[in-house]
Each structure stands twice: as C-alpha cells, then as structure tokens.
Amino acid sequence: MTDSTLAHDIASGSPVRLQAVAAQGQPEVTPALEELYRGFENELLVPLWTEIGDLMPAHPHSHATPHLWRWKRLRELADRAGELVPVGRGGERRAIALANPSLGGRPFATPTLWAAIQYLMPGEDAPEHRHTQHAFRFIVEGSGVWTVVGGDPVPMNRGDFLPQAGWNWHAHHNATSEPMAWIDGLDIPFQYLTETQFFEFGRDEITDAERITPERSRSERLWGHPGLRPLSVAPTAPGSPLLSYKWEYTDAALRDQLLLEKEGFGGTVEPGHAAVRYANPHDGGDVLPTIRAEFHRLARGAESAPVRETGSSVYQVFDGSGVVTVGEKSWTVGRGDMFVVPSWAPFSARSEAGASDSDSGALDLFRFSDAPVFEALKLNRTQKDA
C-alpha cells in the first residue's frame, strides 16, 4: 500500500483496509483494482476473495493457544489477594480468571470459556448476585464453604462438582477458620461474544437461616438418588436441578469401570481410561446448556490416544501426576494444575501416578468444555489421530 493510499484511507475514516496482492488465485494488481478496493473501503465492503483463507480455512485455527497454569502459583497469588482485596462489592467474589496468552489480555481461558480461582477467607460471605452466564464450581482441595443458591445452602468439599444454571441468585459463606479456594467455570466469553449477558446485584448479606451448614442441600435430598427421579416436581428452568455431584459417587463410578475392564467386561473408553459425564437427572442431558463437564481417570502407565475436537476445553488435574500433550506442547502435571485445549488441537495424556501422589493411584482429570453449543449447532466433530 502506497503512502498516498494510506493517507486516503486515514482521511476517509473507514476501518476497512484492503491491499491488492500479486498471488495465485488473486486478480491482477492494476490501478483499476486499487481504485475498486478504495471504493470497497469507503462503502465498508470486504470481498471474500481477500479473506477466504482466514474465514474459511481447511480446519479450525483457534485464536487460543495451549497453556498451563500451576496450581501452586495460583494458590499463592489467591492467598495474597485474600489479604489485599475485599470479597464484597468491588472485589466481587475475589475471582481471578485465567487469561489465555493469545487472546489479547482478555480474562478468557478460551474464546468461549472462563475459568477462575476463587478464594474465600475464614468467616467471610461473598454477597449475593445473579447473571445469565451458566456456571459451576469444582473443588480440588478443602472444605467448609457453602454456596447458597436460591436460599438452598450447598456444601462444597474436595472432588464435588456444583453446577448452577444462569439467573439463579447465589452467595457463598465460609463457616470455618481456614481459607478455601476452588475453581469457577462459566460461559462468560461466549455470552460476551454473542452480546446476551445480564447481571444483577442481590443482597449484601444472607439470612441466618441460609447460613446453616447441612451435610446435604435440599436439591441433593430431592434429586441426588442415583437412577431415581422425584414425581413431585418437573424442572422448567435450564440446567440440572441437582446442585451438587458428590465425589464419592464420581470416584466409585471410575473405580468400577477400571475393575470391570480388569475382569474382562469392558466399561472403559480405551485401555486403562475410565471416564464419566456429569448428567442432568431430569433428562440425562448435559448439566448446563452451554457447558459439558466430565471426569477422566487414567490408570498408572495408561496413555490416551490423541483426539481432536471442535470447541475448546479446560482441564484441572484433580489428583496424581503424568504428562499431557496439547498440540506441540507437553507438560508434566500434578494436583491442581490447569491447562487449556484449544479447538482442533490434538490432546493426549499419560499417567505416571502412583500411591505416593494419588489417592486413587491414577491420574485424575476434571474437564469442562463448550461441547453442548457445538452439538446444538451441528458443528461438533471429533477425530482420533493415529
């Protein structure tokens, strides 16, 4: 582009910038073509032949890149934030988001998924709010915090998965003398991109009746019985009516799959690889409209086959150790570490876990993804690499 052309574009105020390029499949670069392109710019038009490689590639090229966050460092920084940042209005939940290094500094783990570490100090309450973004909490360590969803106190303990569909009032309170950290997952980037988000502040304080500490929430007492659905109620709101999926049931399901495999009856997705999906007990679908949550267990020495999928994922190592490979990057990981798998990046994991670093003796991985969005749009695709 010449200096005079650039000056013309700046003067015109058009955000469209087109450059005639001498390349195969492109029109011959002539003064007439340059004049045509200036006309396109002035009228805010972009010809497809200048953009097709970016807009219609042969396969997805994610703007996100594979990246790993170490839990030890996340925990240290969250602890420091606990000393310096209020949890109330302004500090708003003391949630610290993972920012993918290729997404321009936005607080997005992937183009569609948000992941954050949240930290609550002893005796603190996180004030009530609600939002259209669908959310969950997953606890990799600790206990003693209750999240209060629509007045229902739900205990949070290691290994528990707590989904919460959008537009539900929720607050948290720490009933212990110790701080507690957990991860939040939301579809904030997706709703930001589609411009569909709403948010409201609620009460600054919950009531004494909500600050109780039951072992099971009301939602668990109604919906938390495996294979049984209450006839007294049929949920009409989106998302799972069960607000807590207990670790004891997840652990037992994974353990039984590996035992069945040893006995010669199958039950695993591949040798040494047990996996479950958290399901809505009402209809068997995903727990949230835009987020899928799974748990994977790789027995010591097992290695998963490289898999590519449209859509992105965030993983947290719940227990054990191993090596994970995302695209061209490989990391040795341990408890709490978090990493991103961008769309169509091949992912595989190898377990090096044992009794010394894992309660199960295996590499345990919690995963959440945007799969429900792509399945609803019929854009889902999976490929196993050789």
Side-chain angles (χ1 to χ4, degrees):
M1 184 178 291
T2 65
D3 291 342
S4 61
T5 300
L6 179 60
H8 173 271
D9 289 343
I10 294 173
S12 72
S14 172
V16 176
R17 297 288 185 268
L18 301 175
Q19 185 173 3
V21 177
Q24 185 177 3
Q26 294 292 307
E28 181 182 356
V29 179
T30 63
L33 183 67
E34 294 281 8
E35 182 180 0
L36 175 64
Y37 281 7
R38 303 296 80 75
F40 284 160
E41 290 171 350
N42 289 335
E43 298 302 324
L44 301 179
L45 301 171
V46 179
L48 180 58
W49 62 82
T50 65
E51 300 287 333
I52 191 167
D54 183 47
L55 296 178
M56 295 183 176
H59 56 79
H61 296 288
S62 179
H63 290 292
T65 52
H67 192 74
L68 174 75
W69 291 264
R70 296 291 183 188
W71 181 250
K72 182 177 184 293
R73 189 62 178 143
L74 292 176
R75 193 69 166 73
E76 290 171 350
L77 291 169
D79 183 63
R80 185 67 176 142
E83 300 172 359
L84 300 174
V85 181
V87 75
R89 309 306 185 198
E92 202 55 42
R93 289 299 196 274
R94 204 184 284 122
I96 307 161
L98 310 185
N100 192 286
S102 299
L103 297 180
R106 299 297 301 174
F108 301 159
T110 81
T112 54
L113 298 173
W114 162 288
I117 180 173
Q118 190 170 155
Y119 197 79
L120 205 59
M121 297 292 281
E124 278 189 332
D125 291 352
E128 188 179 61
H129 68 204
R130 67 175 177 175
H131 39 73
T132 51
Q133 292 87 352
H134 302 296
F136 70 81
R137 277 155 278 287
F138 180 73
I139 296 83
V140 74
E141 64 181 28
S143 62
V145 169
W146 274 254
T147 183
V148 183
V149 182
D152 187 6
V154 187
M156 298 166 60
N157 299 296
R158 173 167 159 76
D160 291 351
F161 169 71
L162 291 81
Q164 179 204 290
W167 216 236
N168 283 288
W169 292 112
H170 56 285
H172 314 308
H173 69 96
N174 187 341
T176 72
S177 59
E178 297 293 331
M180 182 172 164
W182 63 90
I183 67 164
D184 290 336
L186 296 93
D187 62 357
I188 290 175
F190 174 73
Q191 293 204 27
Y192 178 84
L193 176 68
T194 54
E195 300 177 344
T196 56
Q197 63 271 50
F198 291 85
F199 178 92
E200 282 187 15
F201 288 122
R203 300 165 296 168
D204 289 334
E205 296 182 1
I206 57 175
T207 66
D208 290 340
E210 294 169 305
R211 199 174 275 107
I212 59 175
T213 55
E215 290 187 9
R216 292 187 301 152
S217 64
R218 296 193 298 272
S219 80
E220 293 171 79
R221 292 163 64 188
L222 190 61
W223 288 96
H225 303 282
L228 300 172
R229 174 180 161 183
L231 296 181
S232 58
V233 61
T236 56
S240 175
L242 179 59
L243 299 179
S244 177
Y245 292 68
K246 296 292 192 188
W247 169 242
E248 61 184 288
Y249 301 123
T250 308
D251 181 39
L254 296 163
R255 184 173 61 248
D256 281 345
Q257 286 186 18
L258 290 173
L259 287 173
L260 283 168
E261 179 189 80
K262 281 186 177 181
E263 295 164 10
F265 296 107
T268 54
V269 294
E270 58 188 340
H273 181 182
V276 294
R277 179 187 300 176
Y278 296 95
N280 185 328
H282 171 59
D283 58 15
D286 284 295
V287 289
L288 296 168
T290 55
I291 294 175
R292 174 166 297 164
E294 301 172 348
F295 205 103
H296 295 253
R297 173 170 290 173
L298 287 165
R300 180 175 176 82
E303 184 168 3
S304 64
V307 175
R308 300 173 187 260
E309 295 177 304
T310 49
S312 53
S313 298
V314 179
Y315 284 80
Q316 182 169 42
V317 180
F318 178 71
D319 213 356
S321 60
V323 176
V324 297
T325 300
V326 185
E328 297 179 354
K329 293 189 176 182
S330 292
W331 304 286
T332 298
V333 295
R335 179 183 286 194
D337 292 345
M338 301 180 69
F339 58 93
V340 163
V341 180
S343 182
W344 212 243
F347 166 70
S348 62
R350 183 179 74 251
S351 174
E352 297 177 350
S356 62
D357 65 2
S358 172
D359 294 337
S360 68
L363 175 61
D364 284 348
L365 299 170
F366 170 78
R367 175 200 186 194
F368 71 99
S369 72
D370 49 19
V373 175
F374 293 88
E375 289 185 358
L377 297 174
K378 308 303 180 188
L379 295 173
N380 55 303
R381 183 178 294 195
T382 301
Q383 174 182 301
K384 281 198 173 184
D385 290 355

